[in-house]
């Protein structure tokens, strides 16, 4: 009764502020509102709301890279522009890949397949699921990622990037910047994770953004509009290209999902099963302890005993690098207490994806959620002493697991992410891939 009264009071206050939206509230809605009020420490639904993608003042951003429309528009094109694929090991595949080769909108800005493949990939399919290794290339010339490619969705809400959080110079990474300067010198530039990733990624994935690129493909005016405060000598560069890409990434927000609509008072946006799943998520299952805030994620790292890419038959080219990757956060901090801990991931638009876990060891949301609530590790290499305290058997029924799956799969699914991707880029190339098979799959001809 107490919860219902609290929720009813909250509903009345919200109704006054948003008269057109708050109607047809049910008991399950009232219960969920009440739990939200407790979980958010009294902030209510605003605690979980994502802003509009053009509401720059409310989107988290790096103070060294303030958002503006010109910068976002430039980054939108650069992320998809296959003409940036200008530093391949083999010239035969020049201009056939882009950042979006591993982050296509068709699969929710995740990789559409087991592993992201940039240079040396062929084909696309419908959602990137058919991108394969070019068998005519030496394997060490292929850019294939030995860990699951995370989505670009809602990345504005994280200060550091990658599963081990190694990219970014501020916040939790500040103590490690000088320590890792030889491995990640770009962290010395002082930017947050998204900006650092935008810059580092060009070298890591053999992309080329410089004055020659900007001139050849007609991007100079866009750079001028986006970076008028940069001297011309450094305006068309890897750094500004990375900053533009990061600015665009910050605006990719799943703010049209049913959960977001429900938070705005559109109570029919979620089914009762999805609402039951949301209640479990915020209460009994304690998912919100890690997956919190508007993006339902956090800048924290936990060991859940998940398998690595070699356990899902993924391709590993550099075994020494892979050993560091398997250590997770510990591979960056060099602290054994951080070994096997990985960053809390985004939960939005998982429905667009076919693989789950940092090693892509699960193939359905039901399986990965069942695993997480069971508290039984799959990777025997992870010591029990490293496992997160909350990784225990929650004793959920099959019905409860089904409700959780319904919430994550459907209520957190934004069905119109195509609004964030361009139809074409200035080069006129096929996007997000330019190889012959992709051109056929993407109907570029």
């Amino acid at each position: 009764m107490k919860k219902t009264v609290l929720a009813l009071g909250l509903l009345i206050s919200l109704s006054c502020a948003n008269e057109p939206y708050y109607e047809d509230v049910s008991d399950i809605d009232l219960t969920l509102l009440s739990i939200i009020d407790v979980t958010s420490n009294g902030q209510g639904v605003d605690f979980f709301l994502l802003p509009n993608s053009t509401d720059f003042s409310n989107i988290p951003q790096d103070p060294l890279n303030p958002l503006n429309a010109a910068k976002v528009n430039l980054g939108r094109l650069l992320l998809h522009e296959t003409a940036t694929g200008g530093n391949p090991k083999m010239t035969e595949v020049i201009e056939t890949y882009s950042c979006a080769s591993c982050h296509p909108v068709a699969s929710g800005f995740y990789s559409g397949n087991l592993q992201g493949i940039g240079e040396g990939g062929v084909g696309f399919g419908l959602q990137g699921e058919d991108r394969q290794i070019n068998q005519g290339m030496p394997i060490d010339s292929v850019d294939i990622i030995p860990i699951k490619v995370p989505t670009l969705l809602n990345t504005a809400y994280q200060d550091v990037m990658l599963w081990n959080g190694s990219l970014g110079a501020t916040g939790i990474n500040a103590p490690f910047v000088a320590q890792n300067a030889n491995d990640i010198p770009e962290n010395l530039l002082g930017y947050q994770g998204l900006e650092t990733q935008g810059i580092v990624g060009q070298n890591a994935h053999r992309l080329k953004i410089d004055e020659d690129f900007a001139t050849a493909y007609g991007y100079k005016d866009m750079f001028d509009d986006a970076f008028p405060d940069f001297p011309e000598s450094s305006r068309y560069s890897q750094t500004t290209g990375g900053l533009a890409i990061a600015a665009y990434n910050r605006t990719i927000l799943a703010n049209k999902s049913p959960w977001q609509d429900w938070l705005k008072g559109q109570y029919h946006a979620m089914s009762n099963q999805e609402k039951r799943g949301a209640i479990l998520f915020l209460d009994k299952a304690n998912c919100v302890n890690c997956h919190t805030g508007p993006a339902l994620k956090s800048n924290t790292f936990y060991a859940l005993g998940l398998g690595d890419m070699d356990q899902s038959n993924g391709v590993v080219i550099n075994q020494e690098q892979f050993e560091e990757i398997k250590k997770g956060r510990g591979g960056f901090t060099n602290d054994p207490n951080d070994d096997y801990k990985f960053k809390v991931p985004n939960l939005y638009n998982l429905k667009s994806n076919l693989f789950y876990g940092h090693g892509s060891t699960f193939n359905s949301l039901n399986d990965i959620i069942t695993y997480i609530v069971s508290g039984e590790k799959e990777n025997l290499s992870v010591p029990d002493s490293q496992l997160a305290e909350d990784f225990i058997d929650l004793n959920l029924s099959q019905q409860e697991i089904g409700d959780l799956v319904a919430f994550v799969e459907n209520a957190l699914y934004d069905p119109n992410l195509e609004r964030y991707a361009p139809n074409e880029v200035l080069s006129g190339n096929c996007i997000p891939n330019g190889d012959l098979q992709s051109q056929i799959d993407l109907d570029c001809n």
Side-chain angles (χ1 to χ4, degrees):
M1 181 66 180
K2 184 177 180 181
K3 281 187 176 181
T4 301
V5 171
L6 175 63
L8 185 57
L10 176 64
L11 178 66
I12 292 171
S13 67
L14 288 171
S15 297
C16 295
N18 300 281
E19 191 68 36
Y21 296 103
Y22 291 86
E23 54 186 24
D24 298 328
V25 64
S26 66
D27 287 344
I28 193 170
D29 294 309
L30 289 172
T31 299
L32 183 49
L33 282 168
S34 177
I35 291 172
I36 286 173
D37 196 53
V38 173
T39 303
S40 65
N41 293 319
Q43 294 183 53
V45 294
D46 287 349
F47 180 76
F48 293 103
L49 273 174
L50 290 163
N52 291 327
S53 60
T54 56
D55 185 8
F56 297 157
S57 62
N58 284 312
I59 296 174
Q61 55 197 278
D62 188 334
L64 298 180
N65 187 35
L67 297 182
N68 63 56
K71 201 180 293 182
V72 170
N73 290 336
L74 173 60
R76 182 168 174 258
L77 296 184
L78 292 180
L79 186 121
H80 295 86
E81 175 63 84
T82 45
T84 62
N87 274 326
K89 286 189 175 181
M90 300 184 67
T91 57
E92 295 92 325
V93 297
I94 195 168
E95 297 189 15
T96 61
Y97 56 96
S98 67
C99 299
S101 294
C102 294
H103 298 284
V105 65
S107 56
F109 292 101
Y110 297 87
S111 172
N113 54 2
L114 180 74
Q115 294 175 268
I117 309 174
E119 177 193 354
V122 294
F124 186 77
L126 295 175
Q127 293 182 278
E129 78 283 358
D130 285 345
R131 189 157 177 80
Q132 306 292 328
I133 293 174
N134 183 343
Q135 297 300 315
M137 290 182 64
I139 192 64
D140 62 359
S141 293
V142 177
D143 178 24
I144 187 164
I145 315 301
I147 194 166
K148 176 61 187 165
V149 175
T151 184
L152 299 177
L153 270 175
N154 306 325
T155 47
Y157 289 86
Q158 59 190 76
D159 296 333
V160 295
M161 292 296 290
L162 303 186
W163 282 99
N164 66 357
S166 61
L167 298 183
T170 64
I172 59 173
N173 273 6
F176 305 103
V177 172
Q179 170 186 313
N180 293 282
N182 290 333
D183 295 329
I184 311 174
E186 291 85 357
N187 274 346
L188 293 174
L189 297 173
Y191 293 109
Q192 291 183 8
L194 266 174
E195 282 67 26
T196 307
Q197 183 183 49
I199 297 166
V200 170
Q202 294 169 61
N203 287 335
H205 303 298
R206 304 194 275 274
L207 303 170
K208 181 184 178 184
I209 299 175
D210 56 16
E211 186 166 6
D212 288 343
F213 160 83
T215 301
Y217 298 102
Y219 281 97
K220 290 194 77 171
D221 287 346
M222 294 190 74
F223 275 91
D224 291 339
D225 291 341
F227 299 101
D229 295 334
F230 274 69
E232 285 193 46
S233 59
S234 58
R235 188 178 298 165
Y236 322 101
S237 67
Q238 178 179 341
T239 297
T240 53
L243 296 180
I245 290 170
Y248 161 68
N249 288 344
R250 289 182 181 277
T251 68
I252 305 175
L253 303 169
N255 48 32
K256 294 189 177 181
S257 64
W259 167 243
Q260 288 291 313
D261 289 339
W262 184 92
L263 291 169
K264 296 167 188 171
Q266 300 172 38
Y267 293 124
H268 294 298
M270 292 200 299
S271 69
N272 281 346
Q273 183 182 27
E274 291 158 13
K275 292 172 187 177
R276 292 196 303 269
I279 290 170
L280 282 164
F281 186 95
L282 298 171
D283 193 11
K284 181 179 178 180
N286 284 325
C287 307
V288 75
N289 285 358
C290 302
H291 298 278
T292 188
L296 296 181
K297 64 194 307 180
S298 61
N299 288 303
T300 49
F301 301 81
Y302 298 99
L304 299 181
L306 287 158
D308 299 302
M309 189 60 73
D310 56 350
Q311 292 174 258
S312 55
N313 297 317
V315 175
V316 176
I317 296 174
N318 185 327
Q319 191 63 42
E320 183 178 351
Q321 177 198 44
F322 187 55
E323 292 304 314
E324 290 298 304
I325 287 173
K326 289 195 291 184
K327 289 182 180 179
R329 182 68 172 168
F332 171 66
T333 65
N334 295 315
D335 182 349
N337 292 318
D338 289 335
D339 284 353
Y340 309 108
K341 295 180 180 180
F342 294 86
K343 184 158 54 62
V344 174
N346 168 82
L347 295 182
Y348 282 86
N349 281 66
L350 289 175
K351 184 178 179 178
S352 301
N353 208 225
L354 300 174
F355 303 94
Y356 307 97
H358 70 265
S360 293
T361 49
F362 289 89
N363 301 112
S364 79
L365 273 172
N366 184 79
D367 288 348
I368 184 68
I369 289 176
T370 298
Y371 170 83
I372 290 171
V373 302
S374 74
E376 185 173 345
K377 67 184 182 184
E378 67 168 341
N379 190 344
L380 299 181
S381 299
V382 180
D384 290 347
S385 59
Q386 292 296 96
L387 294 173
E389 291 182 4
D390 290 340
F391 184 58
I392 57 174
D393 188 351
L394 298 180
N395 295 310
L396 298 187
S397 68
Q398 287 301 309
Q399 177 64 56
E400 288 173 320
I401 291 174
D403 291 347
L404 265 179
V405 171
F407 173 66
V408 175
E409 184 171 41
N410 300 318
L412 299 184
Y413 178 73
D414 186 323
N416 184 30
L417 296 183
E418 286 79 9
R419 67 189 183 274
Y420 292 117
N423 293 320
E424 58 184 5
V425 289
L426 298 191
S427 70
N429 288 355
C430 186
I431 58 172
N433 306 322
D435 61 274
L436 291 178
Q437 185 58 53
S438 290
Q439 291 180 40
I440 295 170
D441 293 347
L442 293 161
D443 195 25
C444 287
N445 297 319

